[in-house]
Amino acid sequence: MLDYSYVPLKDDEIRIIRLQAGEGEDILSCKFNYCILSPQHTPPIFSALSYTWGNEIPTHLILLEQQSFCITKKLASALYHFRQERGRAEVLLWVDAICINQDDLAEKSVQIGRMRTIYESALNVVCWLGERTAIAHNACKTLDKLFALLPQEADTSNPSMRLLKEYTPILHSHISDQEWAELSYFFTNPWWYRVWVLQEATTRRRQILRYGSWALTNLLPLRWVEALAERVAEQYPNRPNWSIGDSAVFRIVMMGKARNGKLPNKLTLLDVLGACRGLGASNPRDYVYAALNMTSDTRVDELKPDYTLSVAEVFIDSVEWFFNASTSVFDMLGYVESRLNTSTFDTQETATELSREQNIDPQEDTTSRNLPTYTPDWAATYTHHPFTKKIFMGCSTYKNYYTASGPYSGKKVQVQLTNNRRVLRVRGFSIGSIKELKDPGPNTNKMDYATELSWRPLASEGMYHTGESFDDAYLRTVVADMTYLHGVDRRRGGKMNWDEHELFGTALKCATFGRRFAFTEQGHMGLVRQDVEAGDEVFVILGGEVLYVLRPVGSYYLFVGECYMHGLMDGEAMEWVLDGRAAVSDIAIR
């Protein structure tokens, strides 16, 4: 039997498979329909499939146009289920692994760019979690039992704090340890943590969550169970912690609302790239290309999928797009993760020279080391939260939280990418170097009282340069001067402490996650990334809303990360330029 050979697609054309009727373990057989998705053409009625590829090698043989074709066992199990349910009728589906020629990078690039249109043209999106094994069967039974306990609001709205407090003990009392373990199996299914799921499961089309024959068409009750389970894990230490706090269902529900205009603020490309951090993808390029289908940014069409590019080129393309198309050009610097090892860098100017030293082909290397230090590795798991830059004021208007570069903050400024896009040239000035760093503590994900206490300045009886006491300045610094109201709303100014345990803990965790307390040689206290070293310099970069830590290496700087320095976040350092204490100059960052 011959292997299937794809017929090239015409302009604007897509393939849809017609899954043929069959019985039991009969070999799966599919045929193609070719159609154009446009207002001038009536699309066929089809379902789009969302599932996980994983690292499984396609070994399951099917017939495609009466020729042999291999798919993964997980995909095959889904197709068997759909065929069995439809009996003698054909099933029309769009399945990426079959409908896109995965070996044709040019076709793949074009079709990936149409994913949004494809999923929004489908009758529904079937989200396939896998076969309903014994443990999956029990997990679904447990969910059905818990759904019956939820209030009526669970079908129409997100859980409120009041109802969460009321229903947490109810959920705890109605779930056994065995059922808890089965819930773990459900909520840690790989499907929840796949980058393409955010695009596939958040369209306006009806989503059907499938675990074998079990089906769910409304994710909101599931979000209630997830939120309640998170609180149970926090309040009842005897319950094993299975990392439920990642809030996978919440991420999908909120992304769907944002994409479909049910939230007041627009969904920027940076919002989506940030939401994709820590999710899974078989191809690192997908972290950028999946995000393109979800953003509301009008100029996103300037970034087009191109799977012939290296991963480094794709990520640098995204940075160049932010510099050219975004107003707040430096916001994406908050997503740069720790990857500095000064010994691997010198003052050579090109990626080719750097890679030659490390025996790396710059066209093939996909590691962070081959990225400039100012370029986020979108495939990396996040190690800190970027500082909040803006607050939504309504009517599509925003206000900057911080204005460290004075009138330039958050404004469009000219930057240059030179040396084959390996060097970023900006304008700014140093306000001093890091002198003292505090221990980040044993658990960087959750600030504890002992670590916070160890950070407190010894000279707490004195006065800080802002005119506040050291204690007051410190309490504002460790929360990045962000006061939380009711756990969600935030504002600048004011101070919090452990007496307001829940709100202070939330603010402290957000501000200090992945960071440590530091003093500059001039005596400014602040929060810096954990990989900052003594001798690194704090900079004002014109256009930046926050401050930045750079590491001098020869005639260049390496980008280390954002930072907060108390008393310098509202343009105070710009006065240093006016009185001659500092001078704006060109800065080259590699």
Side-chain angles (χ1 to χ4, degrees):
M1 186 183 299
L2 294 175
D3 291 340
Y4 179 75
S5 180
Y6 279 92
V7 176
L9 292 170
K10 300 176 182 177
D11 290 344
D12 299 325
E13 201 172 44
I14 69 166
R15 304 180 185 92
I16 292 174
I17 63 168
R18 302 194 328 267
L19 177 60
Q20 306 296 290
E23 296 182 358
E25 296 298 318
D26 288 353
I27 190 169
L28 293 165
S29 179
C30 300
K31 295 183 178 180
F32 277 134
N33 271 8
Y34 295 86
C35 61
I36 295 175
L37 300 180
S38 73
Q40 293 77 34
H41 297 80
T42 302
I45 297 175
F46 68 96
S47 296
L49 182 64
S50 173
Y51 70 107
T52 57
W53 282 41
N55 297 319
E56 185 184 348
I57 298 174
T59 58
H60 188 96
L61 183 67
I62 68 169
L63 293 180
L64 185 57
E65 299 289 2
Q66 298 302 312
Q67 295 177 317
S68 63
F69 188 84
C70 285
I71 61 176
T72 64
K73 292 179 180 179
K74 182 175 290 187
L75 175 55
S77 72
L79 297 182
Y80 274 118
H81 268 275
F82 301 153
R83 187 178 72 176
Q84 180 181 358
E85 290 175 350
R86 293 300 296 270
R88 296 182 177 277
E90 289 184 331
V91 184
L92 268 65
L93 295 165
W94 189 88
V95 183
D96 54 0
I98 303 175
C99 296
I100 298 176
N101 182 356
Q102 301 293 328
D103 294 326
D104 185 339
L105 295 183
E107 177 185 305
K108 183 176 178 179
S109 299
V110 172
Q111 293 295 301
I112 290 296
R114 292 178 181 156
M115 291 276 276
R116 181 174 188 164
T117 302
I118 291 170
Y119 275 83
E120 290 184 347
S121 299
L123 174 67
N124 52 47
V125 178
V126 180
C127 307
W128 179 256
L129 273 65
E131 286 282 2
R132 194 175 179 184
T133 59
I135 189 171
H137 172 80
N138 292 335
C140 294
K141 283 179 60 179
T142 299
L143 284 170
D144 288 336
K145 181 180 80 170
L146 296 178
F147 291 158
L149 297 173
L150 297 177
Q152 292 183 343
E153 294 94 325
D155 289 329
T156 58
S157 64
N158 277 306
S160 66
M161 187 60 68
R162 177 184 62 82
L163 287 172
L164 282 179
K165 290 180 179 179
E166 178 182 343
Y167 278 83
T168 295
I170 296 175
L171 182 109
H172 174 63
S173 64
H174 281 79
I175 184 170
S176 67
D177 288 343
Q178 178 63 34
E179 289 171 326
W180 183 262
E182 289 158 357
L183 277 184
S184 164
Y185 183 83
F186 184 92
F187 281 103
T188 55
N189 184 288
W191 183 84
W192 297 107
Y193 304 97
R194 176 174 168 260
V195 68
W196 279 109
V197 162
L198 279 185
Q199 185 267 323
E200 297 163 354
T202 58
T203 69
R204 290 185 175 88
R205 294 306 184 188
R206 179 170 175 254
Q207 287 92 39
I208 305 173
L209 195 67
R210 293 285 306 271
Y211 221 144
S213 58
W214 184 83
L216 183 69
T217 58
N218 184 359
L219 289 184
L220 280 174
L222 196 61
R223 168 57 192 152
W224 275 72
V225 173
E226 176 186 63
L228 287 166
E230 289 171 1
R231 290 185 64 86
V232 168
E234 291 176 357
Q235 296 181 18
Y236 299 93
N238 61 310
R239 295 294 192 185
N241 185 351
W242 32 272
S243 301
I244 193 169
D246 193 62
S247 302
V249 184
F250 175 74
R251 179 171 49 230
I252 291 175
V253 169
M254 295 309 293
M255 181 65 72
K257 287 188 174 185
R259 287 189 66 187
N260 299 318
K262 295 181 180 179
L263 295 179
N265 48 325
K266 291 184 177 180
L267 197 61
T268 68
L269 179 58
L270 192 58
D271 293 333
V272 181
L273 288 168
C276 291
R277 298 299 285 270
L279 300 181
S282 57
N283 189 323
R285 299 166 183 82
D286 289 341
Y287 288 96
V288 175
Y289 294 154
L292 300 181
N293 290 302
M294 292 181 271
T295 177
S296 303
D297 281 330
T298 55
R299 294 182 59 181
V300 75
D301 288 344
E302 297 173 16
L303 268 177
K304 296 185 181 300
D306 186 349
Y307 283 85
T308 66
L309 299 176
S310 70
V311 175
E313 287 175 312
V314 172
F315 290 176
I316 294 172
D317 279 349
S318 73
V319 169
E320 190 169 27
W321 182 89
F322 282 112
F323 289 151
N324 292 332
S326 177
T327 302
S328 301
V329 294
F330 297 120
D331 282 0
M332 60 85 193
L333 293 177
Y335 291 86
V336 174
E337 299 298 338
S338 173
R339 57 177 184 264
L340 287 184
N341 180 352
T342 307
S343 64
T344 66
F345 288 87
D346 59 18
T347 55
Q348 291 175 301
E349 295 194 358
T350 66
T352 302
E353 290 169 329
L354 180 63
S355 299
R356 189 178 295 128
E357 278 195 353
Q358 301 164 354
N359 297 315
I360 296 171
D361 181 348
Q363 297 302 315
E364 298 298 329
D365 178 48
T366 61
T367 63
S368 297
R369 184 171 290 176
N370 197 36
L371 289 172
T373 60
Y374 59 81
T375 300
D377 181 350
W378 299 115
T381 301
Y382 59 86
T383 57
H384 67 282
H385 299 304
F387 286 115
T388 300
K389 310 296 191 310
K390 292 177 175 61
I391 180 172
F392 182 68
M393 304 297 290
C395 300
S396 300
T397 60
Y398 294 82
K399 179 182 178 181
N400 293 334
Y401 268 123
Y402 308 108
T403 54
S405 63
Y408 299 95
S409 300
K411 299 294 177 62
K412 186 77 173 178
V413 296
Q414 186 174 4
V415 300
Q416 290 182 304
L417 290 177
T418 63
N419 301 63
N420 196 27
R421 303 195 301 177
R422 304 299 299 189
V423 175
L424 168 64
R425 298 185 185 276
V426 297
R427 301 271 293 167
F429 58 94
S430 173
I431 58 174
S433 60
I434 300 294
K435 180 181 180 181
E436 181 184 353
L437 292 159
K438 296 289 187 179
D439 188 341
N443 187 346
T444 58
N445 294 329
K446 187 175 182 181
M447 174 64 71
D448 56 26
Y449 179 75
T451 301
E452 186 273 316
L453 192 63
S454 72
W455 284 8
R456 299 203 175 207
L458 294 177
S460 58
E461 300 82 7
M463 300 297 290
Y464 193 62
H465 70 85
T466 57
E468 306 165 276
S469 70
F470 260 85
D471 271 344
D472 286 353
Y474 168 79
L475 288 172
R476 291 176 65 181
T477 298
V478 292
V479 295
D481 200 29
M482 201 73 68
T483 302
Y484 278 58
L485 306 172
H486 313 297
V488 178
D489 297 328
R490 288 169 277 185
R491 61 177 172 82
R492 285 286 305 279
K495 60 182 184 294
M496 308 173 73
N497 55 47
W498 289 105
D499 293 335
E500 307 162 276
H501 179 75
E502 186 170 353
L503 296 181
F504 183 61
T506 300
L508 194 66
K509 180 179 178 180
C510 289
T512 61
F513 172 55
R515 295 190 175 93
R516 61 203 304 191
F517 192 74
F519 279 103
T520 68
E521 59 186 1
Q522 289 81 10
H524 296 104
M525 66 173 73
L527 295 174
V528 299
R529 283 255 301 272
Q530 288 188 19
D531 51 340
V532 167
E533 300 174 356
D536 290 346
E537 295 185 42
V538 179
F539 273 80
V540 172
I541 295 180
L542 301 188
E545 291 134 290
V546 296
L547 299 172
Y548 303 92
V549 177
L550 306 180
R551 182 169 302 164
V553 179
S555 59
Y556 292 91
Y557 288 92
L558 306 181
F559 184 82
V560 184
E562 296 179 324
C563 77
Y564 172 93
M565 284 292 159
H566 191 63
L568 294 175
M569 303 303 293
D570 296 305
E572 295 90 343
M574 296 302 294
E575 297 179 6
W576 298 13
V577 177
L578 297 177
D579 62 22
R581 283 182 289 168
V584 175
S585 62
D586 292 331
I587 304 166
I589 306 172
R590 291 188 50 172

